[in-house]
Amino acid sequence: MHVDYCEICDGKNIGTYSTASLLALSIIDLCETFYCHLGVNVPDHAMTFRSLCNLLQDSVTPFVVSVHAKECAAVKLLIQKVLEQLMGRGVSVDEEQEDDTALLQRTQCTIIFPQRTESLTNSDLPQSLPVVVIFKDFEAFNSQVLQDFILICSRYTQELPFIFIFGIATSPSAIQHRLPHSVSSLLCIEVFHSLSCTQHLASVFDKLILNSQFPFKLSSRVIQVLVGIFLYHDFSVQNFVKGLQFSMLEHFKSQPLSMLCCQKQEALLSAKTLSKKNVERIRHLPSFMRYVETQEPQEQVQLLTNDEHVKEVCQQLLKNLHKYHKNYYPILQCLHSLTSSLPKFPLGKHIRELHVSCIEKNLWETEEYDSALQLLRILAKDELVAALRKCAEILKSTKILQNVLQQLEDFIGRLEALEEDSSGNGIISGKMEYQRTDLFQLQKTLLEKESRRTKRMNPFEVLRSQVIEFIDSLVREYLTPAELQPLNEVCYYNSSGVLRQRLNVTPRTSIQAALSHPFYYLQNESLKTDAGTISSAAPDLCIVYKLHLECGRLINLYDWLEAFLTVMSAAEDQDTNSEDARFIQAVSEMEFLGFIKSTKQKTDHVARLTWGGC
């Protein structure tokens, strides 16, 4: 995943900085400094900096260093890390290691402050290229370490220009809290903002999911599980991609007919050579059974009895499925471009929301779709023309559905050539004759006149209505639910329950299951026990855990120990001298796992923290 740094505060791009512009500040004693505001999606920061390092090494300078706060508790360690990465070899901070020739001694490569006569001893370093130092977690660094390192480097900007990149997860104002003015005044600062995690997620959807080139597809429920984990747990695009990869592996493992989930020509060749067992599996697919029910009786007999005929029909159905996907995604993008700017976003702000609605049900039967059409029917002429132009550009880029493209261009031409009717609203009403009457009669007459009043649409309104009807016909024709397509099970993975169980697990439940049933994890026959019994061969932690399930809110340690010794006494060849120590260790592990805690109510008791164990 390549990170795009186009979104910055002052409109500049990191790609527009040439080597000459980055070195311009070497004339004065300032260090070029960039603040990369990355946001809270911490799991993706490592990949972000890795992509940034590769970008800088390819376009700016080969001397790029990245450091972590946990590795740089002192200035000495920070300089050591920088020199190790620059020189490609270890640097010793202990001058007594004279016998290790593979390490450079600290006296050979230390940058002395405040003297400016010494520099790096490696004469091969070009003086015209800067050294980029990336602080991945700026907020975690010790402020005094940062201040000393910046002061040292600022003394060598003319001989060896430095560029600092600070990775910030909170706010760019963090520099005011970390560095005093005397140090920050030595830095020429630019603030960059990386793309948000939701924008990266949209890019993943466009390239992998909403793409007809990849035959593997996700059902609506699976997409909702993956997006839910992304939005409510970690904001990690990397983890989302891993979930997508797991879905693909699970689909090809659990679905025998996934052999047909490949490119069109390969799928057709595989369909010709289907085995008898796989033909029977096709007959048992719910979508294929629905297809058989729609055929004529004679055709139904052929589909249920003739294997060769099933193979021929399967090839045709696979062609139709690939054609459905090729037509589906361009129309989906067109509908999204039309409705994404409507007030309150009736069909969703993101295209993934519209995609989920389309593949799980008939979109045109929903209230949100009716609301979107009503808003489209009141668009102004310039807004409607701009929206149709976007749709035409989408269809031109895909080079399919050329008949739809021609009709769109025809509508655009007619709208542009149309002149607004300036004749008012075109209301036709009869001439009212006023005469003396009472209030009731007047009200009745006015109601009759109002009911006979007709409204004549102007040419623009007529054409706009035709455009909306055309769009509605495209939705009904091309955006049908994927579940209605025969053989959709071949390409679509829909086991959302398995995916949620694997990716959105609860650690405490898993730990309780492992402690209650160790046999399923250790595969040891001696650990098999009947319900309600405790095996003495089980690990000490499992025995202690099962015994604590029989206790109340407070657990007496002495009684707990006696119960543990009773269980252990059933085992042969046990060292009785070590049982107390083993019990203490198991109780400590229980406390570490969060099942118990010490209590001040009774010194010889511990408090139980979990309930409802397996």
Side-chain angles (χ1 to χ4, degrees):
M1 182 186 65
H2 182 71
V3 180
D4 189 1
Y5 289 90
C6 296
E7 298 291 332
I8 57 176
C9 61
D10 58 352
K12 297 180 182 178
N13 189 325
I14 196 171
T16 63
Y17 281 88
S18 63
T19 304
S21 62
L22 287 173
L23 295 177
L25 295 180
S26 63
I27 301 175
I28 56 178
D29 288 337
L30 291 180
C31 297
E32 182 77 5
T33 304
F34 298 96
Y35 280 174
C36 295
H37 187 212
L38 302 176
V40 297
N41 53 333
V42 178
D44 290 338
H45 287 180
M47 183 177 294
T48 301
F49 283 115
R50 188 160 55 247
S51 300
L52 178 59
C53 288
N54 295 334
L55 176 64
L56 292 174
Q57 288 175 346
D58 294 339
S59 59
V60 179
T61 174
F63 307 111
V64 181
V65 178
S66 60
V67 291
H68 284 282
K70 63 182 180 180
E71 301 172 346
C72 307
V75 180
K76 177 176 61 176
L77 298 177
L78 177 56
I79 295 177
Q80 175 194 2
K81 281 294 178 183
V82 171
L83 295 176
E84 282 181 354
Q85 296 187 41
L86 286 178
M87 298 180 179
R89 56 192 298 190
V91 177
S92 174
V93 295
D94 188 359
E95 297 181 6
E96 297 180 358
Q97 296 179 359
E98 299 290 345
D99 56 337
D100 194 349
T101 57
L103 297 177
L104 291 176
Q105 296 302 323
R106 183 179 59 179
T107 55
Q108 296 177 260
C109 54
T110 300
I111 301 177
I112 305 299
F113 174 77
Q115 299 176 2
R116 304 182 63 166
T117 58
E118 296 188 18
S119 182
L120 295 178
T121 59
N122 192 343
S123 60
D124 296 333
L125 290 176
Q127 298 298 316
S128 60
L129 293 178
V131 174
V132 180
V133 182
I134 301 177
F135 298 84
K136 294 184 177 181
D137 43 356
F138 174 77
E139 292 97 336
F141 274 86
N142 184 284
S143 59
Q144 189 61 45
V145 173
L146 287 174
Q147 295 175 31
D148 294 343
F149 184 75
I150 294 173
L151 288 172
I152 293 174
C153 294
S154 65
R155 301 292 293 174
Y156 295 86
T157 53
Q158 293 185 3
E159 294 86 356
L160 186 62
F162 284 91
I163 298 175
F164 298 143
I165 297 179
F166 295 152
I168 299 176
T170 55
S171 172
S173 62
I175 185 167
Q176 301 176 1
H177 307 287
R178 308 293 297 171
L179 301 176
H181 181 267
S182 59
V183 177
S184 60
S185 60
L186 300 175
L187 306 176
C188 182
I189 301 172
E190 294 282 353
V191 180
F192 289 78
H193 294 273
S194 67
L195 294 177
S196 65
C197 53
T198 54
Q199 290 175 297
H200 284 302
L201 179 65
S203 177
V204 171
F205 262 86
D206 292 337
K207 295 179 180 180
L208 298 181
I209 298 178
L210 304 180
N211 194 329
S212 60
Q213 296 180 357
F214 297 95
F216 174 72
K217 307 297 178 184
L218 300 177
S219 67
S220 59
R221 294 183 178 179
V222 171
I223 293 178
Q224 290 173 349
V225 170
L226 291 176
V227 174
I229 295 175
F230 174 84
L231 294 178
Y232 300 111
H233 287 82
D234 53 15
F235 288 108
S236 174
V237 180
Q238 186 178 5
N239 291 345
F240 180 86
V241 173
K242 289 181 179 179
L244 181 61
Q245 294 172 342
F246 176 81
S247 302
M248 183 181 300
L249 293 175
E250 187 68 22
H251 174 69
F252 282 96
K253 174 187 175 183
S254 59
Q255 176 57 266
L257 295 175
S258 58
M259 57 182 294
L260 301 175
C261 182
C262 52
Q263 298 298 330
K264 181 179 178 180
Q265 298 302 326
E266 297 178 5
L268 295 179
L269 291 176
S270 300
K272 290 181 181 179
T273 59
L274 284 173
S275 63
K276 183 176 180 62
K277 187 176 182 179
N278 285 331
V279 171
E280 287 298 323
R281 287 171 175 162
I282 288 179
R283 289 194 177 107
H284 287 84
L285 290 178
S287 60
F288 189 80
M289 295 172 64
R290 289 193 298 267
Y291 171 77
V292 172
E293 292 174 356
T294 60
Q295 304 302 309
E296 298 294 331
Q298 186 176 0
E299 178 68 13
Q300 291 181 359
V301 173
Q302 290 291 324
L303 291 173
L304 296 177
T305 58
N306 192 338
D307 291 351
E308 294 299 324
H309 184 65
V310 171
K311 294 179 183 180
E312 296 176 359
V313 173
C314 182
Q315 296 177 47
Q316 184 60 42
L317 294 179
L318 288 174
K319 291 180 181 179
N320 296 340
L321 186 61
H322 283 269
K323 183 178 180 181
Y324 162 77
H325 288 144
K326 283 188 175 181
N327 296 335
Y328 173 87
Y329 295 113
I331 300 300
L332 180 72
Q333 295 175 1
C334 291
L335 181 60
H336 175 68
S337 66
L338 288 170
T339 59
S340 59
S341 58
L342 295 178
K344 297 183 179 180
F345 309 105
L347 294 182
K349 185 177 181 180
H350 304 284
I351 192 171
R352 64 173 183 266
E353 301 171 1
L354 179 60
H355 174 60
V356 169
S357 300
C358 290
I359 61 177
E360 70 177 352
K361 56 189 174 183
N362 292 329
L363 182 66
W364 55 88
E365 296 178 354
T366 61
E367 296 180 358
E368 293 80 7
Y369 180 76
D370 294 337
S371 177
L373 288 187
Q374 291 178 3
L375 293 174
L376 290 175
R377 289 191 177 97
I378 60 176
L379 287 179
K381 176 184 173 182
D382 54 345
E383 295 175 340
L384 183 60
V385 171
L388 293 180
R389 285 190 180 279
K390 291 181 181 178
C391 296
E393 292 175 0
I394 293 173
L395 295 179
K396 286 180 181 178
S397 62
T398 57
K399 298 181 181 180
I400 57 176
L401 297 174
Q402 294 301 311
N403 57 336
V404 177
L405 177 60
Q406 293 178 359
Q407 290 179 307
L408 280 178
E409 292 178 342
D410 178 63
F411 279 123
I412 293 173
R414 291 167 60 184
L415 285 170
E416 290 178 342
L418 189 64
E419 294 183 359
E420 289 289 346
D421 187 6
S422 60
S423 59
N425 56 8
I427 296 177
I428 302 177
S429 59
K431 183 179 180 181
M432 297 183 63
E433 298 179 358
Y434 297 97
Q435 59 183 359
R436 187 182 298 274
T437 181
D438 56 5
L439 182 60
F440 176 76
Q441 188 66 28
L442 177 61
Q443 183 180 11
K444 181 179 178 181
T445 303
L446 291 176
L447 290 175
E448 291 176 355
K449 297 282 186 180
E450 185 68 25
S451 63
R452 291 196 300 267
R453 179 178 296 182
T454 59
K455 185 177 185 299
R456 183 174 58 193
M457 300 174 64
N458 59 38
F460 167 69
E461 293 174 339
V462 174
L463 186 56
R464 181 175 59 187
S465 178
Q466 294 177 0
V467 171
I468 301 305
E469 291 177 359
F470 174 69
I471 294 172
D472 182 51
S473 65
L474 293 179
V475 172
R476 295 173 182 269
E477 181 179 359
Y478 296 107
L479 298 186
T480 55
E483 295 180 355
L484 301 181
Q485 304 300 318
L487 302 185
N488 69 84
E489 296 89 349
V490 171
C491 298
Y492 283 83
Y493 175 69
N494 53 13
S495 300
S496 58
V498 175
L499 188 65
R500 185 182 292 107
Q501 183 181 2
R502 295 292 188 273
L503 300 182
N504 194 20
V505 298
T506 54
R508 186 170 71 88
T509 304
S510 302
I511 294 175
Q512 288 177 329
L515 295 179
S516 301
H517 309 287
F519 165 75
Y520 297 104
Y521 291 82
L522 302 179
Q523 294 297 313
N524 188 345
E525 293 294 334
S526 62
L527 298 179
K528 279 188 175 181
T529 58
D530 298 331
T533 61
I534 303 176
S535 173
S536 59
D540 296 341
L541 181 60
C542 297
I543 298 174
V544 170
Y545 172 78
K546 288 187 175 182
L547 291 173
H548 110 287
L549 295 178
E550 303 173 0
C551 302
R553 187 176 64 87
L554 295 178
I555 305 175
N556 189 305
L557 288 174
Y558 180 77
D559 295 340
W560 200 3
L561 173 60
E562 289 296 323
F564 177 77
L565 295 177
T566 301
V567 174
M568 298 304 297
S569 63
E572 299 179 356
D573 300 332
Q574 290 289 342
D575 185 6
T576 58
N577 297 326
S578 63
E579 290 179 351
D580 293 350
R582 291 167 57 185
F583 173 77
I584 294 174
Q585 182 180 0
V587 171
S588 300
E589 292 173 353
M590 287 279 291
E591 184 175 5
F592 176 76
L593 293 174
F595 290 106
I596 60 174
K597 72 172 184 178
S598 58
T599 177
K600 296 182 179 180
Q601 296 181 3
K602 295 182 179 180
T603 57
D604 58 343
H605 286 63
V606 292
R608 181 178 173 183
L609 300 179
T610 60
W611 304 89
C614 299

